[in-house]
Amino acid sequence: RKEVEQDPGPFNVPEGATVAFNCTYSNSASQSFFWYRQDCRKEPKLLMSVYSSGNEDGRFTAQLNRASQYISLLIRDSKLSDSATYLCVVNMDTGGFKTIFGAGTRLFVKA
Amino acid sequence: NAGVMQNPRHLVRRRGQEARLRCSPMKGHSHVYWYRQLPEEGLKFMVYLQKENIIDESGMPKERFSAEFPKEGPSILRIQQVVRGDSAAYFCASSPGYLSYEQYFGPGTRLTVT
């Protein structure tokens, strides 16, 4: 089983749609969680950190469920510019430091 | 506040040559991470460094690859005797601290081995 697993893509949605991405992690030593987006052939850009209390930034809402080892990202009112690959990222301390990136979920928003 | 800088942006090497990739972290950041991304694949953690120390290199191939982050100057990822399979995008990220801190990425170096 992969340490960080994401929904397989791609997601094809119309503008204005709400879309949700899920991510599960297997190691309970995981300590911090993030969502990044990556455009084609560019560097990953931080979208938001993820907290147990949930956090919201405009149209984006992230949630962490430690008991279920599950992270989610909700995008409301999708824009064409939201088209990208969304990466779930987990930092863990297992005696050594590790950052694990999920394989990513590709989103296409169409007019 | 300048972001993470990497150079060169593109590097072409023949098989057997050495590749040196440089990364300057964001101002105020003392933690540097290197990742590799093969075409159509996800990012793979390679190494985590602080000034003059390698904290975790569990993702580094055992041979030909090395990394350093000297007291002065940028972090360097060095690949000796490159092979075609080393062709990839190499991203550097920096953060101000450990584990709970976000990492900010540089634009990457695209290495092509001919």
Side-chain angles (χ1 to χ4, degrees):
Chain A
R1 185 186 170 188
K2 289 182 183 175
E3 289 183 281
V4 177
E5 292 199 73
Q6 294 189 239
D7 280 349
F11 283 48
N12 293 287
V13 303
E15 271 188 295
T18 295
V19 61
F21 301 139
N22 301 315
C23 173
T24 57
Y25 60 96
S26 59
N27 195 321
S28 58
S30 301
Q31 301 215 6
S32 54
F33 311 88
F34 308 90
W35 284 101
Y36 283 74
R37 68 171 278 169
Q38 187 175 28
D39 294 281
C40 187
R41 298 181 65 80
K42 298 279 186 70
E43 73 272 25
K45 289 192 188 297
L46 177 68
L47 191 60
M48 55 202 310
S49 304
V50 189
Y51 307 112
S52 297
S53 54
N55 47 313
E56 187 174 314
D57 183 2
R59 299 182 292 109
F60 298 82
T61 301
Q63 195 76 45
L64 165 65
N65 184 321
R66 283 191 183 271
S68 302
Q69 297 186 183
Y70 170 95
I71 304 156
S72 64
L73 176 69
L74 184 77
I75 305 175
R76 290 181 297 278
D77 188 23
S78 300
K79 311 289 184 195
L80 295 175
S81 58
D82 293 334
S83 297
T85 297
Y86 289 82
L87 306 170
C88 170
V89 181
V90 175
N91 283 347
M92 56 185 76
D93 185 351
T94 56
F97 169 87
K98 285 174 77 171
T99 293
I100 307 294
F101 276 74
T105 301
R106 197 167 287 189
L107 172 67
F108 294 101
V109 181
K110 299 181 187 259
Chain B
N1 190 9
V4 178
M5 294 194 291
Q6 289 188 251
N7 65 80
R9 295 290 302 276
H10 300 273
L11 182 62
V12 180
R13 285 287 178 264
R14 291 199 193 95
R15 276 179 297 170
Q17 290 185 317
E18 178 180 287
R20 277 184 183 241
L21 287 62
R22 286 177 291 279
C23 168
S24 296
M26 284 179 73
K27 190 175 179 181
H29 287 192
S30 58
H31 298 243
V32 166
Y33 315 81
W34 285 95
Y35 297 87
R36 177 164 65 175
Q37 187 170 35
L38 295 168
E40 303 303 319
E41 292 191 13
L43 278 96
K44 301 295 183 196
F45 168 79
M46 298 180 76
V47 62
Y48 163 41
L49 309 104
Q50 287 182 271
K51 285 282 187 184
E52 300 184 276
N53 284 307
I54 296 174
I55 306 302
D56 191 301
E57 56 181 347
S58 56
M60 287 275 270
K62 296 289 182 233
E63 296 176 351
R64 301 188 299 108
F65 285 72
S66 62
E68 62 175 6
F69 190 14
K71 189 177 179 182
E72 301 291 338
S75 176
I76 306 285
L77 178 68
R78 184 179 175 211
I79 311 172
Q80 294 178 290
Q81 299 175 327
V82 296
V83 301
R84 287 231 172 96
D86 296 333
S87 296
Y90 291 83
F91 291 101
C92 165
S94 73
S95 74
Y98 174 71
L99 267 187
S100 62
Y101 292 89
E102 300 93 345
Q103 297 176 28
Y104 295 87
F105 282 78
T109 293
R110 276 167 180 74
L111 173 66
T112 302
V113 179
T114 61

